[in-house]
Amino acid sequence: MIRVRKSTDTPPSLQIENCHNYNGQDVQESLYSDQYGKCYLCEQETHKTFQIEHFKPKDVGYFPELKYDWTNLFLSCGYCNGRKSNSSEILNPLNHNIEEIIAHRIDVYSKKVEFDSETKDKSTNDTVELLTKLFNGKSNIRDVKGEILFKDLNREISYFIKMLLNYKSDTSPTNRQIVIDLLHISKEFLAFKYWLIKDYGFYEDFKDQLIWNKLS
């Protein structure tokens, strides 16, 4: 999960008086473009299965006044949207560099995904709890969809590690460019790659590629 930067122009369909549709074509197009077609929670490409997710729940008793608020809408996959609780008060990806606040790590041998943060406020704790549930399953038991997500993550990160090690043994422009390409903002699981870069001691080599949506 990384910081998200959203278009400043509210889609026209949300500006209509007495708006009754938060899922208009222009909303979908804007969110898909802003987030490079990726779910804002798991960072996996959504392709044509994406959903429009309300960051703060729109249900009565929560924040119904934000149902059509552009800043409250994000692109999400159905898997993550279905598992994010209304009571969860996670970090807002528009306001926080989440990839810096929360460490994202995967142990390819134990098949465990770990999230941790030195910050212990409720929003950070809730974000860690949600990400843990998404990638490890409820009570550390993955259902079929969770297992597919883990396998996709494992495959991408295993390849990224291989390319980092290739660069370590041979810092040629070709090997460097391969790593840079895998760090493009359109690629999946960037928060995990961010922490691999830090853990493997390559931050100075690739820090310019880790800016993504951070505000200047």
Side-chain angles (χ1 to χ4, degrees):
M1 188 176 181
I2 68 171
R3 187 174 196 135
V4 172
R5 183 175 291 189
K6 180 172 290 193
S7 302
T8 55
D9 294 332
T10 300
S13 67
L14 296 177
Q15 301 183 48
I16 298 174
E17 188 175 357
N18 297 321
C19 175
H20 294 293
N21 181 22
Y22 61 81
N23 198 26
Q25 186 72 15
D26 54 351
V27 174
Q28 296 180 38
E29 290 176 352
S30 293
L31 288 177
Y32 197 89
S33 175
D34 289 346
Q35 296 177 215
Y36 296 86
K38 298 187 298 182
C39 172
Y40 82 102
L41 292 169
C42 70
E43 283 195 85
Q44 194 168 36
E45 293 179 359
T46 60
H47 301 297
K48 58 185 177 183
T49 62
F50 64 82
Q51 298 180 1
I52 306 302
E53 203 269 330
H54 290 79
F55 179 75
K56 290 187 176 182
K58 65 184 183 303
D59 298 341
V60 175
Y62 290 95
F63 301 93
E65 71 278 9
L66 298 179
K67 186 173 183 178
Y68 309 105
D69 189 314
W70 173 231
T71 63
N72 196 45
L73 303 176
F74 289 87
L75 196 76
S76 172
C77 67
Y79 172 77
C80 290
N81 194 12
R83 285 160 175 75
K84 178 172 170 285
S85 169
N86 281 351
S87 61
S88 180
E89 299 179 16
I90 66 173
L91 293 168
N92 191 323
L94 296 178
N95 304 326
H96 298 90
N97 299 328
I98 298 174
E99 68 273 20
E100 295 180 348
I101 298 171
I102 299 175
H104 293 56
R105 295 186 175 98
I106 176 175
D107 188 325
V108 297
Y109 299 104
S110 68
K111 296 185 177 182
K112 182 72 178 292
V113 185
E114 297 180 347
F115 303 93
D116 190 30
S117 178
E118 295 181 356
T119 305
K120 301 300 181 183
D121 59 81
K122 177 171 172 51
S123 292
T124 303
N125 289 339
D126 279 8
T127 308
V128 167
E129 182 179 334
L130 174 60
L131 291 172
T132 300
K133 181 170 65 174
L134 293 176
F135 284 91
N136 290 321
K138 190 174 182 179
S139 302
N140 291 326
I141 300 176
R142 298 187 185 97
D143 60 12
V144 174
K145 293 180 180 179
E147 188 63 28
I148 292 172
L149 173 60
F150 173 81
K151 287 180 178 179
D152 288 344
L153 169 66
N154 190 36
R155 180 172 56 251
E156 178 71 13
I157 295 306
S158 295
Y159 180 71
F160 185 68
I161 291 173
K162 181 180 179 180
M163 295 304 101
L164 276 180
L165 294 177
N166 284 349
Y167 173 75
K168 182 177 182 180
S169 63
D170 176 10
T171 58
S172 67
T174 298
N175 285 342
R176 174 178 170 80
Q177 189 60 48
I178 290 173
V179 175
I180 289 175
D181 290 345
L182 291 170
L183 290 172
H184 188 269
I185 192 170
S186 65
K187 299 298 183 180
E188 298 179 312
F189 309 122
L190 293 178
F192 290 92
K193 294 175 182 178
Y194 174 87
W195 282 91
L196 279 170
I197 291 289
K198 293 192 68 174
D199 290 343
Y200 277 55
F202 292 118
Y203 183 79
E204 290 301 317
D205 296 66
F206 297 104
K207 62 183 179 181
D208 291 342
Q209 282 72 48
L210 306 177
I211 297 173
W212 298 319
N213 293 317
K214 296 180 180 65
L215 302 179
S216 59

